[in-house]
Amino acid sequence: MTTWETVIGLEVHAQLATRTKLFCGCETTYGAAPNTQVCPVCLGYPGALPVPNARAIELAVRAGFALGSTVSRASRFARKSYFYPDLPKGYQISQMELPINEGGAVTFEGRTVALERAHLEEDAAKSTHVGSQTRVDFNRGGVPLLEIVSRPDLRSPAEAEAYLRALRSLLMTAGVNDGNLEEGSFRCDANISLRPLGSDVFGERVEIKNVNSFRFVRLALESEIARQRAVLQSGGRVERETRSWDEAAGVTRSMRGKEEAADYRYFPDPDLPALVLDEATLERWRAEVPELPAAREARWVEAGLTEYDAGVLGQHPAVARYFDAVCAATAMEPKKVANFVQGEVLGRIGTQGLEADVPVAPAALAGLLDLLAGDTIHGQAAKKVLGLMIDEGLDAATLVKREGLAQENDAEALEAQVRAVLDANPAQVTQFREGKTAVIGYFVGQVMKASRGKANPKTVKETLERLLAGE
Ligand SMILES: [Zn+2]
């Protein structure tokens, strides 16, 4: 039996995080009432002229630098002609021979996947099929996209999923895409073929269109591998076609035979001159590329975080920046900061697009963590103080003082309290000496109660163990 190798290449359409469309001033707000963000340009009226959005071009270039692409000093917009109800002009403005970014790579989990290109194009409108009707919402028509095309370097569905997660994280960190899959701002088409292991000739490929979750990409590819393998094993031929993912049935379904690229009759758009960028601007944008996820993760792991911590805190760039800002402001070691942020703060951070709504400013949280690291308060008290900080907006030191939560670190006073508790509970002391060591938890609770929560639980336990062992 032949062993088959899977060959996967991905095309991602990432919406550039601009306020307005690629060639007109219409807003790109998601969820607006249908056909309220339109004008003669994005509706394709004859004679309406496109004007490139400078911000979209800047974001495309920033993405190019973050991806390690060669950014073209001169690129060109081209018309990709086809007929569809959601494309009133009869063509989509894209880039063909001279894309804004060529080459580049995405690195993840020790793998590097090369890119063909990352070019600018406008989105088509959105058709919704309701019974026998088709409704078209032109709000999305003309929204700026960066199409990032990988080489066919991926070898498994799991690898494809990991690539997509890494690419999304990178684009979000570079501030060019909000990573919102539900709203369609990060969409993926997957090309997949099989070939006998060891062959260097590609098999006929199938394109799976617009899968809108990482998990579905993996499932769609797994299902497509099984389908193609069955076709090939039985001596059949895989047809070149476009398929869609049927989520309910868990299979891909044929949509249409694949048009050849030549059918689109690409040609330079006569309404748009060559896009020429000056060297100084390019250099400035290159210099402004922030630290990227892979480098950030390596730095965090070096500082003592686990890879799991780094994954959780790096999920959203604003959360990552928040964590870094807290670490920079506190004397607490990064691993402990990571634990506290994950346990107590992360659940209270709301994210919207590329922004995060944090419950306490980094400096304020650092103030609390310093009290914790310096043993002024213990963990339980820190949680309580954090809640008060969020509710009242006061700083940690003020609240610790007001609530009388400063720890009792006087060893003699503590020992006296421990002795008092032991004296008051002779039955439990006997139990402990008979081997029921779990009873120590009861003693700790009693001492904590007597100290009204001010004693350091760790010191209490140590003192208890010492006194119980010694008497
Ligand atoms: Zn418009």
Side-chain angles (χ1 to χ4, degrees), residues 379-455:
Q380 272 316 110
K383 289 180 194 180
K384 182 176 177 187
V385 173
L386 178 66
L388 293 170
M389 289 170 76
I390 293 167
D391 292 343
E392 303 182 34
L394 296 171
D395 67 278
T398 304
L399 287 163
V400 166
K401 200 168 172 192
R402 189 187 80 190
E403 300 293 311
L405 288 168
Q407 253 173 169
E408 196 61 74
N409 285 325
D410 179 336
E412 262 179 53
L414 181 65
E415 188 168 324
Q417 278 175 337
V418 171
R419 281 186 195 283
V421 165
L422 293 179
D423 290 347
N425 297 279
Q428 282 81 355
V429 171
T430 308
Q431 281 178 11
F432 181 87
R433 294 203 169 124
E434 284 167 354
K436 282 191 182 171
T437 52
V439 81
I440 198 153
Y442 168 78
F443 290 131
V444 172
Q446 292 300 303
V447 178
M448 292 306 291
K449 203 167 150 192
S451 74
R452 282 180 295 137
K454 289 182 187 179

Coordinates of all heavy atoms in Angstrom, one line a residue, residues 379-455:
G379 N -1.0 35.9 50.8 CA -1.7 35.7 49.6 C -3.2 36.0 49.7 O -3.8 36.6 48.8
Q380 N -3.8 35.5 50.8 CA -5.3 35.7 50.9 C -5.6 37.2 51.0 O -6.6 37.7 50.4 CB -5.8 35.0 52.2 CG -6.2 33.5 52.0 CD -7.0 33.3 50.8 OE1 -6.6 32.7 49.8 NE2 -8.3 33.8 50.7
A381 N -4.8 37.9 51.8 CA -5.0 39.3 52.0 C -4.8 40.0 50.7 O -5.6 41.0 50.3 CB -4.0 39.9 53.0
A382 N -3.8 39.6 49.9 CA -3.6 40.2 48.6 C -4.8 40.1 47.7 O -5.2 41.1 47.0 CB -2.4 39.6 47.9
K383 N -5.5 39.0 47.7 CA -6.7 38.8 46.9 C -7.7 39.8 47.3 O -8.4 40.4 46.5 CB -7.2 37.4 47.0 CG -6.3 36.4 46.3 CD -6.9 35.0 46.4 CE -5.8 33.9 46.0 NZ -6.3 32.6 46.1
K384 N -7.9 39.9 48.6 CA -8.9 40.8 49.2 C -8.6 42.2 48.8 O -9.5 43.0 48.3 CB -9.0 40.7 50.7 CG -10.0 41.5 51.3 CD -10.2 41.3 52.8 CE -11.2 42.3 53.4 NZ -11.2 42.2 54.9
V385 N -7.3 42.6 48.9 CA -6.9 44.0 48.6 C -7.1 44.3 47.1 O -7.6 45.3 46.7 CB -5.5 44.2 49.0 CG1 -5.0 45.6 48.5 CG2 -5.3 44.1 50.5
L386 N -6.8 43.3 46.3 CA -7.0 43.5 44.8 C -8.5 43.8 44.5 O -8.8 44.7 43.8 CB -6.6 42.2 44.0 CG -6.8 42.3 42.5 CD1 -5.9 43.4 41.9 CD2 -6.6 41.0 41.9
G387 N -9.4 43.0 45.2 CA -10.8 43.3 45.0 C -11.2 44.7 45.4 O -12.0 45.4 44.7
L388 N -10.7 45.2 46.5 CA -11.0 46.5 47.0 C -10.4 47.6 46.1 O -11.0 48.6 45.8 CB -10.4 46.7 48.4 CG -11.1 45.9 49.5 CD1 -10.3 46.0 50.8 CD2 -12.6 46.3 49.7
M389 N -9.2 47.3 45.6 CA -8.5 48.2 44.6 C -9.4 48.4 43.4 O -9.6 49.6 42.9 CB -7.2 47.7 44.2 CG -6.1 47.7 45.3 SD -4.6 46.8 44.7 CE -3.9 48.0 43.6
I390 N -10.0 47.3 42.9 CA -10.8 47.4 41.7 C -12.1 48.1 42.0 O -12.5 49.0 41.2 CB -11.1 46.0 41.2 CG1 -9.8 45.3 40.7 CG2 -12.1 46.0 40.1 CD1 -9.9 43.8 40.4
D391 N -12.7 47.9 43.2 CA -13.9 48.5 43.5 C -13.8 50.0 43.8 O -14.6 50.8 43.5 CB -14.6 47.8 44.8 CG -15.0 46.4 44.4 OD1 -15.2 46.1 43.2 OD2 -15.3 45.6 45.3
E392 N -12.7 50.3 44.6 CA -12.6 51.7 45.1 C -11.6 52.5 44.4 O -11.5 53.7 44.6 CB -12.3 51.6 46.6 CG -13.3 50.8 47.4 CD -13.0 50.8 48.9 OE1 -12.5 51.8 49.4 OE2 -13.3 49.8 49.5
G393 N -10.7 51.9 43.6 CA -9.7 52.7 42.9 C -8.6 53.3 43.8 O -7.9 54.2 43.4
L394 N -8.4 52.7 45.0 CA -7.4 53.2 45.9 C -6.1 52.3 45.8 O -6.2 51.2 45.3 CB -7.9 53.1 47.4 CG -9.0 54.1 47.7 CD1 -9.6 53.8 49.1 CD2 -8.6 55.5 47.6
D395 N -5.0 52.8 46.3 CA -3.8 52.0 46.1 C -3.7 51.0 47.2 O -4.3 51.1 48.3 CB -2.5 52.9 46.1 CG -2.3 53.6 47.4 OD1 -3.0 54.6 47.7 OD2 -1.5 53.1 48.2
A396 N -2.8 50.0 47.0 CA -2.7 48.8 47.9 C -2.3 49.2 49.3 O -2.9 48.8 50.3 CB -1.7 47.8 47.3
A397 N -1.3 50.1 49.4 CA -0.8 50.4 50.7 C -1.8 51.1 51.6 O -2.0 50.7 52.8 CB 0.4 51.3 50.6
T398 N -2.6 52.0 51.0 CA -3.7 52.6 51.7 C -4.7 51.6 52.2 O -5.2 51.7 53.4 CB -4.4 53.7 50.8 OG1 -3.4 54.5 50.3 CG2 -5.5 54.4 51.5
L399 N -5.1 50.7 51.4 CA -6.1 49.7 51.7 C -5.6 48.7 52.8 O -6.3 48.4 53.7 CB -6.6 49.0 50.5 CG -7.4 49.8 49.5 CD1 -7.5 49.2 48.2 CD2 -8.8 50.0 50.1
V400 N -4.3 48.3 52.7 CA -3.8 47.4 53.7 C -3.8 48.0 55.0 O -4.2 47.4 56.0 CB -2.3 47.0 53.3 CG1 -1.6 46.3 54.4 CG2 -2.4 46.1 52.0
K401 N -3.5 49.3 55.1 CA -3.5 50.1 56.3 C -4.9 50.2 56.9 O -5.2 49.9 58.0 CB -2.9 51.4 56.1 CG -2.4 52.1 57.4 CD -1.5 53.3 57.0 CE -1.2 54.1 58.3 NZ -0.6 55.4 57.9
R402 N -5.8 50.6 56.0 CA -7.2 50.9 56.4 C -7.9 49.6 56.9 O -8.6 49.6 57.9 CB -8.0 51.4 55.2 CG -9.4 51.9 55.6 CD -10.2 52.2 54.5 NE -10.8 51.1 53.8 CZ -11.4 51.1 52.6 NH1 -11.5 52.2 52.0 NH2 -11.9 50.0 52.1
E403 N -7.6 48.5 56.2 CA -8.2 47.2 56.6 C -7.4 46.4 57.7 O -7.9 45.4 58.1 CB -8.3 46.3 55.4 CG -9.2 46.9 54.2 CD -10.7 47.0 54.6 OE1 -11.2 46.0 55.1 OE2 -11.2 48.1 54.4
G404 N -6.3 47.0 58.1 CA -5.5 46.3 59.1 C -5.0 44.9 58.7 O -5.0 44.0 59.4
L405 N -4.6 44.8 57.4 CA -4.2 43.5 56.8 C -2.7 43.2 56.9 O -2.3 42.2 56.4 CB -4.7 43.4 55.4 CG -6.3 43.3 55.3 CD1 -6.7 43.5 53.8 CD2 -6.7 41.9 55.8
A406 N -1.9 44.2 57.4 CA -0.5 44.0 57.5 C -0.2 42.7 58.3 O -0.8 42.5 59.4 CB 0.2 45.2 58.0
Q407 N 0.7 41.9 57.8 CA 1.0 40.7 58.5 C 1.7 40.9 59.8 O 2.5 41.8 60.0 CB 2.0 39.8 57.6 CG 1.3 38.7 57.0 CD 2.1 37.9 56.0 OE1 1.7 36.9 55.7 NE2 3.2 38.4 55.6
E408 N 1.4 40.0 60.8 CA 2.2 40.0 62.0 C 3.4 39.2 61.8 O 3.4 38.0 61.7 CB 1.3 39.3 63.1 CG 1.6 39.6 64.5 CD 1.6 41.1 64.9 OE1 0.5 41.6 65.1 OE2 2.7 41.7 65.0
N409 N 4.6 39.9 61.8 CA 5.8 39.2 61.5 C 6.7 39.1 62.8 O 7.9 38.8 62.7 CB 6.6 39.9 60.4 CG 5.9 39.5 59.0 OD1 5.4 38.4 58.8 ND2 6.0 40.5 58.1
D410 N 6.1 39.5 63.9 CA 6.8 39.4 65.2 C 6.8 38.0 65.6 O 5.8 37.4 66.0 CB 6.1 40.3 66.2 CG 6.8 40.3 67.6 OD1 7.5 39.3 67.9 OD2 6.6 41.3 68.3
A411 N 8.0 37.3 65.6 CA 8.1 35.9 65.9 C 7.7 35.5 67.3 O 7.0 34.5 67.5 CB 9.5 35.4 65.6
E412 N 8.0 36.4 68.3 CA 7.7 36.1 69.7 C 6.2 36.1 69.9 O 5.6 35.2 70.5 CB 8.4 37.1 70.6 CG 9.6 36.6 71.2 CD 10.3 37.6 72.1 OE1 9.6 38.1 73.0 OE2 11.5 37.9 71.9
A413 N 5.6 37.2 69.4 CA 4.1 37.4 69.5 C 3.4 36.2 68.9 O 2.5 35.6 69.4 CB 3.7 38.7 68.9
L414 N 3.9 35.8 67.7 CA 3.3 34.7 67.0 C 3.4 33.4 67.8 O 2.5 32.6 67.9 CB 4.0 34.5 65.6 CG 3.4 33.4 64.7 CD1 1.9 33.7 64.4 CD2 4.2 33.2 63.5
E415 N 4.6 33.2 68.4 CA 4.8 31.9 69.1 C 3.9 31.9 70.3 O 3.3 30.8 70.6 CB 6.3 31.8 69.6 CG 6.6 30.5 70.2 CD 8.1 30.2 70.4 OE1 8.9 30.7 69.6 OE2 8.4 29.6 71.4
A416 N 3.6 33.0 70.9 CA 2.7 33.1 72.1 C 1.3 32.7 71.6 O 0.6 31.9 72.3 CB 2.7 34.5 72.6
Q417 N 0.9 33.2 70.4 CA -0.4 32.8 69.9 C -0.5 31.4 69.6 O -1.5 30.7 69.9 CB -0.7 33.6 68.6 CG -1.2 35.1 68.9 CD -1.4 35.9 67.7 OE1 -0.7 35.6 66.6 NE2 -2.2 36.9 67.8
V418 N 0.5 30.8 69.0 CA 0.5 29.4 68.7 C 0.4 28.5 70.0 O -0.4 27.6 70.1 CB 1.8 29.0 67.9 CG1 1.9 27.5 67.7 CG2 1.8 29.6 66.5
R419 N 1.2 28.9 71.0 CA 1.2 28.2 72.3 C -0.2 28.2 72.9 O -0.8 27.2 73.4 CB 2.2 28.8 73.3 CG 3.6 28.3 73.0 CD 4.5 28.8 74.2 NE 5.9 28.6 73.7 CZ 6.6 27.5 73.7 NH1 6.0 26.4 74.1 NH2 7.8 27.4 73.3
A420 N -0.9 29.4 72.8 CA -2.2 29.6 73.3 C -3.2 28.6 72.7 O -4.0 28.0 73.3 CB -2.7 31.0 73.2
V421 N -3.1 28.5 71.3 CA -4.0 27.6 70.6 C -3.7 26.2 71.0 O -4.7 25.4 71.2 CB -3.8 27.8 69.1 CG1 -4.4 26.7 68.3 CG2 -4.4 29.2 68.7
L422 N -2.4 25.8 71.1 CA -2.1 24.4 71.5 C -2.7 24.1 72.9 O -3.2 23.0 73.1 CB -0.6 24.1 71.4 CG 0.0 24.2 70.0 CD1 1.5 23.9 70.0 CD2 -0.7 23.2 69.0
D423 N -2.5 25.0 73.8 CA -2.9 24.8 75.2 C -4.5 24.7 75.2 O -5.0 23.9 76.0 CB -2.5 26.0 76.0 CG -1.0 26.0 76.3 OD1 -0.4 25.0 76.0 OD2 -0.5 27.0 76.7
A424 N -5.1 25.4 74.3 CA -6.6 25.4 74.3 C -7.2 24.1 73.7 O -8.4 23.9 73.7 CB -7.1 26.7 73.7
N425 N -6.3 23.4 73.0 CA -6.8 22.2 72.2 C -6.1 20.9 72.5 O -5.5 20.3 71.6 CB -6.8 22.5 70.7 CG -7.7 23.7 70.3 OD1 -8.9 23.5 70.2 ND2 -7.1 24.9 70.2
P426 N -6.0 20.5 73.8 CA -5.2 19.3 74.1 C -5.7 18.1 73.4 O -4.8 17.2 73.0 CB -5.5 19.2 75.6 CG -6.7 19.9 75.9 CD -6.8 21.0 74.9
A427 N -6.9 17.9 73.1 CA -7.4 16.7 72.4 C -6.8 16.6 71.0 O -6.3 15.5 70.6 CB -8.9 16.7 72.3
Q428 N -6.7 17.7 70.3 CA -6.2 17.7 69.0 C -4.7 17.5 69.0 O -4.1 16.9 68.1 CB -6.5 19.0 68.2 CG -7.9 19.1 67.7 CD -8.9 19.5 68.8 OE1 -8.6 19.7 70.0 NE2 -10.2 19.7 68.4
V429 N -4.0 18.0 70.1 CA -2.6 17.8 70.2 C -2.3 16.3 70.3 O -1.4 15.8 69.7 CB -2.0 18.6 71.4 CG1 -0.6 18.2 71.7 CG2 -2.1 20.1 71.2
T430 N -3.1 15.6 71.1 CA -3.0 14.2 71.3 C -3.1 13.5 70.0 O -2.4 12.6 69.6 CB -4.0 13.7 72.3 OG1 -3.9 14.5 73.5 CG2 -3.7 12.2 72.7
Q431 N -4.2 13.9 69.3 CA -4.4 13.3 67.9 C -3.2 13.4 67.0 O -2.8 12.5 66.4 CB -5.6 14.0 67.2 CG -7.0 13.6 67.7 CD -8.1 14.3 67.0 OE1 -7.8 15.0 66.1 NE2 -9.3 14.2 67.5
F432 N -2.6 14.6 67.0 CA -1.5 14.9 66.2 C -0.3 13.9 66.6 O 0.3 13.3 65.7 CB -1.0 16.3 66.4 CG 0.2 16.7 65.5 CD1 0.0 17.1 64.2 CD2 1.5 16.5 66.0 CE1 1.1 17.4 63.4 CE2 2.6 16.8 65.2 CZ 2.4 17.3 63.9
R433 N -0.1 13.8 67.9 CA 1.0 12.9 68.3 C 0.7 11.4 68.1 O 1.6 10.6 68.0 CB 1.2 13.1 69.8 CG 1.7 14.6 70.0 CD 2.5 14.8 71.2 NE 3.2 16.1 71.1 CZ 3.0 17.1 72.0 NH1 2.3 16.9 73.1 NH2 3.6 18.2 71.8
E434 N -0.6 11.1 67.9 CA -0.9 9.7 67.5 C -0.8 9.5 66.0 O -1.2 8.4 65.5 CB -2.4 9.4 68.0 CG -2.4 9.2 69.5 CD -3.8 9.2 70.1 OE1 -4.8 9.4 69.3 OE2 -4.0 8.9 71.3
G435 N -0.4 10.5 65.3 CA -0.1 10.3 63.9 C -1.1 11.0 63.0 O -0.9 11.0 61.8
K436 N -2.2 11.6 63.5 CA -3.1 12.3 62.7 C -2.5 13.7 62.3 O -3.0 14.7 62.8 CB -4.5 12.4 63.3 CG -5.3 11.2 63.3 CD -6.7 11.4 63.8 CE -7.5 10.1 63.8 NZ -8.8 10.3 64.4
T437 N -1.5 13.7 61.5 CA -0.8 15.0 61.2 C -1.7 16.0 60.5 O -1.4 17.2 60.5 CB 0.5 14.8 60.4 OG1 0.1 14.0 59.3 CG2 1.5 14.0 61.3
A438 N -2.7 15.5 59.8 CA -3.6 16.5 59.1 C -4.2 17.5 60.0 O -4.7 18.6 59.5 CB -4.7 15.7 58.3
V439 N -4.3 17.2 61.3 CA -4.9 18.1 62.2 C -4.1 19.5 62.3 O -4.7 20.4 62.8 CB -5.0 17.4 63.6 CG1 -3.7 17.5 64.4 CG2 -6.1 18.0 64.4
I440 N -3.0 19.5 61.7 CA -2.2 20.7 61.7 C -2.9 21.9 61.0 O -2.9 23.0 61.4 CB -0.8 20.5 61.1 CG1 0.1 21.7 61.6 CG2 -0.8 20.4 59.6 CD1 1.6 21.3 61.6
G441 N -3.7 21.5 60.0 CA -4.5 22.4 59.2 C -5.5 23.1 60.2 O -5.8 24.3 60.1
Y442 N -6.1 22.4 61.1 CA -7.0 22.9 62.1 C -6.3 24.0 63.0 O -6.8 25.1 63.2 CB -7.6 21.8 63.0 CG -8.3 22.3 64.2 CD1 -9.6 22.7 64.0 CD2 -7.7 22.2 65.4 CE1 -10.3 23.2 65.2 CE2 -8.4 22.7 66.5 CZ -9.7 23.2 66.4 OH -10.4 23.6 67.5
F443 N -5.1 23.6 63.4 CA -4.3 24.6 64.3 C -4.0 25.8 63.5 O -4.1 26.9 64.0 CB -3.0 23.9 64.7 CG -3.2 22.8 65.7 CD1 -2.5 21.6 65.6 CD2 -4.0 23.0 66.9 CE1 -2.7 20.6 66.5 CE2 -4.2 22.0 67.8 CZ -3.5 20.8 67.6
V444 N -3.6 25.7 62.2 CA -3.2 26.9 61.4 C -4.5 27.8 61.4 O -4.4 29.0 61.6 CB -2.8 26.5 60.0 CG1 -2.6 27.8 59.1 CG2 -1.5 25.8 60.0
G445 N -5.6 27.2 61.1 CA -6.9 28.0 61.0 C -7.2 28.7 62.3 O -7.5 29.9 62.3
Q446 N -6.9 28.0 63.4 CA -7.2 28.6 64.7 C -6.3 29.8 65.0 O -6.7 30.9 65.5 CB -7.0 27.6 65.9 CG -8.1 26.5 65.9 CD -9.5 27.1 66.0 OE1 -9.8 27.8 67.0 NE2 -10.4 26.8 65.1
V447 N -5.0 29.7 64.6 CA -4.0 30.8 64.8 C -4.4 31.9 63.9 O -4.4 33.1 64.4 CB -2.6 30.3 64.6 CG1 -1.6 31.5 64.8 CG2 -2.2 29.2 65.6
M448 N -4.7 31.6 62.7 CA -5.1 32.7 61.7 C -6.3 33.5 62.3 O -6.3 34.7 62.2 CB -5.4 32.1 60.4 CG -4.3 31.5 59.6 SD -2.8 32.6 59.4 CE -3.5 33.8 58.3
K449 N -7.2 32.7 62.9 CA -8.4 33.3 63.4 C -8.1 34.2 64.6 O -8.5 35.4 64.7 CB -9.4 32.2 63.9 CG -10.9 32.6 63.9 CD -11.7 31.4 64.1 CE -13.0 31.7 64.8 NZ -13.7 30.5 65.2
A450 N -7.2 33.7 65.5 CA -6.8 34.5 66.6 C -6.1 35.8 66.2 O -6.2 36.8 66.9 CB -5.9 33.6 67.5
S451 N -5.3 35.7 65.1 CA -4.5 36.9 64.7 C -5.4 37.8 63.8 O -4.9 38.7 63.2 CB -3.3 36.4 64.0 OG -3.6 35.9 62.7
R452 N -6.6 37.4 63.6 CA -7.5 38.1 62.7 C -6.9 38.2 61.3 O -6.9 39.3 60.7 CB -7.9 39.5 63.3 CG -9.0 39.3 64.4 CD -9.4 40.6 65.0 NE -8.3 41.3 65.7 CZ -8.0 42.6 65.6 NH1 -8.8 43.4 64.8 NH2 -7.0 43.1 66.2
G453 N -6.4 37.1 60.9 CA -5.9 37.0 59.5 C -4.5 37.7 59.2 O -4.0 37.7 58.1
K454 N -3.9 38.2 60.3 CA -2.7 39.0 60.1 C -1.4 38.1 60.1 O -0.3 38.5 59.7 CB -2.5 40.0 61.2 CG -3.5 41.2 61.0 CD -3.3 42.2 62.1 CE -4.3 43.3 62.1 NZ -4.1 44.2 63.1
A455 N -1.5 36.9 60.7 CA -0.3 36.1 60.8 C 0.1 35.5 59.4 O -0.8 35.4 58.6 CB -0.6 34.9 61.8

